Amino acid sequence: MSLILGIETSCDETAAALVTDDGVVRSSVVASQADLHSRYGGVVPEIASRRHLELVSPVIRAALEDAGAGLDDVGRIGVTQGPGLVGALLVGLSAAKAIAWARGLPLVPVDHLRAHVATLYLQPEPLDPPFTCLLASGGHTLVLAVRDRTGFEVLGSTLDDAAGEAFDKGARLLGLGYPGGAEIDRLAREGDPEGFAFPVARVPGLDLSFSGLKTALLYAVRELSEAERDARRADLAASYQRAIVRALVARLEAAAEATGDSVVAVVGGVAANSELRRALPGARFAPLELCTDNAAMIASAARFAPSLRSPGYLALDAYASSSL
Amino acid sequence: MLILAFDTATDVATTALLDDDEVLGERSSVARTLLEDVDALLRQASARPTDLDALVVGTGPGSFTSTRIGLAVARGLAVSLGIEGAGVSTLDALTAGAPGAIPVIDARRREVFVPGATALSPEDVEARGRLCVGDGAVRYRELLETNGAVIPPDDDPRHRPRAALHARLATDFGPVDAIEPIYARAPDAERWRP
Ligand SMILES: [Zn+2]
């Protein structure tokens, strides 16, 4: 059984994984840089790229070791080509090209968004299309109709902030750390989700908008005295989270109604949110450890994308935004 | 000993294949197509990737992203082939091609990289009576010449790094993971907004 080596460096996680041809995750190593970026309240591209270069080969070696495998067991290499930070992507892409070339292996350029969806095709319970999918992360919020394993059709997307970004910005307004999603999720457990009424803008079709919500939180925080703000911080977090979750659930359900799909799924960093998971008891969620960026999803997507032989991939470049 | 050398720190990506001191081939293009040049050099020499014994990589300073492309390729080759490598500063390699000259690399934002300093304004290069080479010397020719520098014509080969010279300068071979880029400038800590 030959293995697929996945490599991911599109944002602030340096990741490598080994996945079998039929979707068993043999190893998945993720080196998060969150601590490095937390004092800036977000990812600093040049700092991320520098860190990727330091981590890329140790992470690949660790993935091989964890799988008890060597490069001789690898049959092809999947690597994120985009979307993401180009400087960061080029670290993983350059290393992947070099490994493939030196070993005479095929290279599979992978789209990061397709890869998030491909998390669902991994063992032990691979999902079969068709299904309607919400992809929500720090960089993207998309509602998708998935008809087969090679891709998807975009039904709706955010017009401004991504859902994960809304969590980050909300966390900053509440004086919480980065990444904001996990911080708000934790604090919200102690708060009253109906304590504040935060409206989410209604936009036509299946699109979403979170910028008004962030402004509503800002005003709510401003109206409170410092003492009140401290006392009600958990209520603010719970109410803010409730508003985001409601908006996401409403859009996903409306989309499923439009497609007629009986199966709905959620992937991306926001899929780790505990309230979202509770709000959609019938939905398929990416496993917790594969919600945020990882390379097992890249290797999974590589199973369903065309592979390139040398010299076809030698001049391959990264791309910043999605063409999908 | 078959040695592959390359440097992608500047706008000119330079590659060379050497058998000990003998240069078997040299090419130049841009960082993103580095591996096409590498592939062509090996084919020309009827060598396979697994025939490589060591690699030499330019460590900058130069463009952050393109310097990293060279180093990431080096790391990938080392992971694959288990070979050792050596890092050579792009400034040192320029000096090797123009003994006695001050190497001046374009650092963008109206600054240059010269030995022993972080990026500085071309006005601040102490160039009086000195030969200056490199893409920074070409770009800021007028300023540097006003300060007394001697700069060869734009098309003089001494302005461009040559990987064959990197290979000659390489002495300390060791784990490629330990070869670090020379950034010579702190990163901008602006927030990234998608
Ligand atoms: Zn992602």
Side-chain angles (χ1 to χ4, degrees), chain A residues 188-229:
Chain A
R189 280 167 215 174
E190 302 153 21
D192 175 7
E194 305 298 338
F196 293 83
F198 292 131
V200 174
R202 289 210 161 271
V203 291
L206 292 169
D207 290 335
L208 294 115
S209 164
F210 292 107
S211 64
L213 176 63
K214 174 190 65 192
T215 313
L217 176 64
L218 175 68
Y219 287 142
V221 168
R222 270 197 201 152
E223 275 170 23
L224 299 173
S225 70
E226 207 167 314
E228 283 175 315
R229 204 180 303 162

Side-chain angles (χ1 to χ4, degrees), chain A residues 109-321:
Chain A
V110 169
D111 183 90
H112 182 89
L113 303 179
R114 285 183 177 170
H116 270 298
V117 177
T119 308
L120 299 165
Y121 309 143
L122 289 164
Q123 302 280 358
E125 286 178 90
L127 185 62
D128 263 324
F131 57 90
T132 303
C133 187
L134 170 68
L135 191 178
S137 68
H140 307 276
T141 303
L142 298 165
V143 183
L144 309 166
V146 183
R147 305 285 76 126
D148 61 56
R149 286 182 169 179
T150 64
F152 50 65
E153 183 197 330
V154 178
L155 301 174
S157 65
T158 181
L159 302 175
D160 37 61
D161 295 344
E165 207 181 354
F167 274 112
D168 285 341
K169 289 178 176 174
R172 222 176 314 153
L173 289 172
L174 294 173
L176 303 171
Y178 169 88
E183 297 280 333
I184 287 185
D185 197 346
R186 198 170 305 128
L187 185 60
R189 280 167 215 174
E190 302 153 21
D192 175 7
E194 305 298 338
F196 293 83
F198 292 131
V200 174
R202 289 210 161 271
V203 291
L206 292 169
D207 290 335
L208 294 115
S209 164
F210 292 107
S211 64
L213 176 63
K214 174 190 65 192
T215 313
L217 176 64
L218 175 68
Y219 287 142
V221 168
R222 270 197 201 152
E223 275 170 23
L224 299 173
S225 70
E226 207 167 314
E228 283 175 315
R229 204 180 303 162
D230 283 343
R232 302 204 62 193
R233 199 182 300 268
D235 293 345
L236 287 164
S239 305
Y240 186 72
Q241 172 170 282
R242 169 74 42 105
I244 295 174
V245 167
R246 272 196 184 141
L248 294 174
V249 169
R251 275 307 186 249
L252 180 57
E253 284 175 347
E257 205 168 309
T259 58
D261 291 336
S262 56
V263 179
V264 295
V266 187
V267 297
V270 177
N273 182 273
S274 65
E275 183 167 346
L276 183 60
R277 290 177 100 96
R278 269 197 311 277
L280 289 165
R284 275 292 302 272
F285 278 81
L288 274 180
E289 70 278 11
L290 299 180
C291 288
T292 46
D293 291 349
N294 63 83
M297 69 183 200
I298 305 303
S300 181
R303 296 155 62 211
F304 309 105
S307 44
L308 305 174
R309 286 248 161 224
S310 178
Y313 59 75
L314 295 178
L316 209 63
D317 205 348
Y319 57 86
S321 37

Side-chain angles (χ1 to χ4, degrees), chain B residues 148-162:
Chain B
V150 178
I151 301 173
D154 286 6
D155 59 357
D156 191 291
R158 287 175 291 178
H159 289 305
R160 288 181 294 281
R162 268 184 66 197

